[in-house]
Amino acid sequence: MFEQVDTIAAIATPAGRGGVGVIRISGTNVPVIAQSILHKLPKPRYAAYSQFLNAQGELIDQGIALYFPAPHSFTGEAVLELQGHGGAVVMDQLLAAVLNAGARLAQPGEFSERAFLNGKIDLTQAEAIADLIDSASVQAMRSALRSLQGDFSRKINKLLEQLILLRTYIEAGIDFVDEEIDLLADGQVLRQLTELQHTVKAIFNQAQQGFLLKEGVHIALVGEPNVGKSSLLNCLAGRETAIVTPIAGTTRDIVRDQIQLDGMPLHIIDTAGLRDTDDIVEQEGIRRTKLALQAVDLVILLLDDRYADDQATPELLASIPSKPLIIRNKIDLSGHEAGISPQGMVYISAKTGAGVEDLKQTLRERLGLQTQTEGTFIARRRHLDALTRTLTALQNAMSYIHSYQNELLAEELRLAQQALSEITGEFTPDDLLGQIFSTFCIGK
Ligand code: GDP
Ligand code: ZN
């Protein structure tokens, strides 16, 4: 037989033991596979209690079979779901029988990819499925759900419509008018272009919030031993956070990954101070710390408020790339008032919790996190990149209006449309698609 086996199957539930395990099958061979395993094709969309049999007719398991004929399924193809008992051996046996009956093992993300290729969902929705499953906070989960429901795509599509209208208008002018038309004199074009830029900026800001929720920010917490770094982290982590496990890096740095601020993950490197040292191991630690400091979004310098500022050695200050957030701790001992000084220093006690709310507020401001996350949708780096390219193209288009270069203007608008279309996947190179779906788990 030369017919290509395009039917895919995978265990959709997590590996290991569970009450129920689900095998998902999608493709044209589904009816054949159903006949082989169930000895019948279940009534569409009805839970059919059934025995699951192998090719020799031996019983593997019994459970629920669900059949969704094409195109009314998640992938848009015929889909069969077999819900059996969630044991590793049972699931493996059942999967083997399904593969034997005419399916091949699905690649990671292949079900979602088929759903996308068959027009069931767009690319941002496919990504939102993965992000929903991976979400680490309620806020991230809600944002992923909003993307999954199409909030993000709708905004992009509306923008695309406006952009296409403008392009049509301008290109008609270029093609059918003999002499160059003066688009600058035509206030309409300028106004629409300005409006488009505003909308792209607004969407970018929302997407950036979603990106922060998903990816979090990287913070280095720097200070001499005993100033209270660990105490501050525990204080910020609060009760709802799992016990932080130190991941061994060097002897001098510890990464704690469990802290969240308004649902945004804070990836914090806790480092010791940077002193001059002859110790080779310590020097290596310092070298790594300095490298790490270059890569973070924010450096927090923690000082003991009982002592003067010179706790931060010039060596240390010199290795901090951007303006650090300075926190003065232990005000319960120094007697200083809690809160933010006019210079932006934050006075706290990690022991009593005084000033910690002010600190959180300062962090939100410094990290560009809006407290109001309603309307935020989950976003990825590639979405932000595409929006940035859209904005650049629109800005270029604007400058070409002023220099009366209508052909170049039209070209920039085409580029803007192309960048926007990449977001929803309407115009996305195949290798990028492959890259996106390959990061999904198998069975998704
Ligand atoms: P690290 O070495 O910078 O991580 O400092 P630790 O968090 O381990 O704290 C060193 C010591 O200072 C511990 O005994 C803490 O209980 C204490 N400490 C930390 N913060 C405060 C504070 O705000 N007030 C008081 N009184 N003690 C604190
Ligand atoms: Zn510590």
Side-chain angles (χ1 to χ4, degrees):
M1 262 208 331
F2 293 99
E3 174 196 311
Q4 201 188 336
V5 181
D6 66 342
T7 303
I8 53 172
I11 301 172
T13 37
R17 280 151 44 121
V20 178
V22 176
I23 287 182
R24 200 184 230 180
I25 310 151
S26 178
T28 45
N29 281 351
V30 154
V32 179
I33 295 169
Q35 281 300 338
S36 168
I37 307 279
L38 312 167
H39 290 194
K40 67 180 178 212
L41 187 62
K43 190 176 165 190
R45 269 176 289 287
Y46 272 81
Y49 185 66
S50 181
Q51 296 195 325
F52 303 155
L53 308 161
N54 68 13
Q56 288 74 45
E58 296 160 349
L59 184 65
I60 302 168
D61 195 3
Q62 53 191 14
I64 304 288
L66 282 165
Y67 170 51
F68 303 91
H72 304 293
S73 70
F74 171 64
T75 57
E77 304 170 336
V79 167
L80 183 67
E81 280 190 18
L82 301 175
Q83 308 183 355
H85 293 95
V89 177
V90 180
M91 282 289 115
D92 280 349
Q93 292 287 305
L94 191 53
L95 181 60
V98 168
L99 298 180
N100 186 48
R104 67 164 170 81
L105 198 60
Q107 302 286 321
E110 207 172 359
F111 290 95
S112 304
E113 186 171 17
R114 288 186 174 199
F116 165 69
L117 293 174
N118 291 324
K120 286 281 165 177
I121 49 174
D122 67 27
L123 201 49
T124 60
Q125 289 174 307
E127 290 169 318
I129 295 173
D131 294 339
L132 180 64
I133 293 170
D134 291 341
S135 51
S137 69
V138 180
Q139 288 92 332
M141 184 201 84
R142 292 214 180 100
S143 306
L145 268 178
R146 273 191 286 270
S147 289
L148 183 56
Q149 288 176 324
D151 282 17
F152 190 16
S153 318
R154 266 191 293 278
K155 282 183 207 276
I156 299 297
N157 287 333
K158 193 157 164 256
L159 203 56
L160 271 169
E161 266 171 41
Q162 292 171 321
L163 189 56
I164 290 168
L165 275 179
L166 185 60
R167 275 192 69 193
T168 316
Y169 181 75
I170 289 171
E171 296 201 353
I174 295 173
D175 290 344
F176 300 114
V177 177
D178 281 342
E179 75 244 54
E180 276 291 293
I181 43 165
D182 185 355
L183 291 171
L184 191 56
D186 184 350
Q188 173 89 346
V189 173
L190 207 56
R191 200 168 48 244
Q192 284 189 26
L193 211 47
T194 311
E195 200 185 300
L196 277 170
Q197 283 188 35
H198 284 309
T199 315
V200 174
K201 272 184 204 154
I203 296 178
F204 181 89
N205 286 339
Q206 273 179 307
Q208 197 169 36
Q209 293 298 308
F211 180 75
L212 284 179
L213 272 179
K214 177 171 152 55
E215 298 296 331
V217 290
H218 295 265
I219 295 176
L221 180 55
V222 189
E224 293 294 310
N226 281 320
V227 293
K229 295 183 296 297
S230 307
S231 309
L232 174 60
L233 288 177
N234 288 333
C235 190
L236 282 175
R239 255 178 298 130
E240 71 266 32
T241 305
I243 299 298
V244 288
T245 1
I247 298 164
T250 65
T251 47
R252 294 171 58 93
D253 61 50
I254 302 170
V255 176
R256 294 162 190 267
D257 216 5
Q258 299 291 332
I259 294 180
Q260 288 178 3
L261 180 64
D262 305 336
M264 175 178 70
L266 304 182
H267 310 285
I268 300 182
I269 324 166
D270 172 359
T271 72
L274 302 172
R275 282 156 303 170
D276 261 330
T277 174
D278 294 329
D279 184 286
I280 292 176
V281 176
E282 210 174 43
Q283 276 175 354
E284 174 58 17
I286 290 173
R287 196 186 65 82
R288 289 196 197 180
T289 303
K290 284 182 178 170
L291 272 180
L293 289 181
Q294 307 294 322
V296 295
D297 300 300
L298 177 68
V299 176
I300 295 177
L301 176 59
L302 193 63
L303 303 174
D304 187 329
D305 193 42
R306 287 176 298 174
Y307 310 114
D309 279 347
D310 59 13
Q311 302 162 61
T313 60
E315 156 98 308
L316 172 58
L317 287 174
S319 53
I320 298 176
S322 56
K323 197 167 158 265
L325 171 62
I326 299 176
I327 304 177
R328 302 198 63 111
N329 187 31
K330 306 198 187 187
I331 55 168
D332 56 305
L333 298 178
S334 70
H336 201 286
E337 209 177 301
I340 306 163
S341 78
Q343 293 79 31
M345 263 196 267
V346 189
Y347 289 81
I348 65 158
S349 166
K351 188 174 180 183
T352 67
V356 170
E357 278 311 313
D358 297 300
L359 171 60
K360 285 185 180 172
Q361 191 46 38
T362 305
L363 282 174
R364 285 184 195 103
E365 283 161 20
R366 289 288 291 260
L367 299 169
L369 183 70
Q370 285 155 21
T371 25
Q372 194 51 330
T373 49
E374 274 318 300
T376 301
F377 35 79
I378 214 82
R380 301 175 166 215
R381 173 74 69 197
R382 72 163 197 96
H383 302 146
L384 296 180
D385 286 348
L387 287 168
T388 306
R389 275 184 284 128
T390 308
L391 196 58
T392 308
L394 291 177
Q395 281 160 350
N396 292 343
M398 191 72 113
S399 70
Y400 289 134
I401 291 191
H402 291 280
S403 56
Y404 305 101
Q405 290 166 291
N406 292 350
E407 307 273 345
L408 292 174
L409 160 70
E411 172 60 12
E412 290 297 337
L413 291 185
R414 192 187 65 79
L415 289 175
Q417 182 184 344
Q418 186 174 319
L420 272 182
S421 310
E422 270 177 34
I423 295 178
T424 49
E426 213 180 303
F427 190 93
T428 310
D430 283 349
D431 52 345
L432 178 59
L433 285 180
Q435 202 183 315
I436 291 169
F437 286 108
S438 67
T439 61
F440 287 29
C441 347
I442 290 186
K444 223 188 269 165

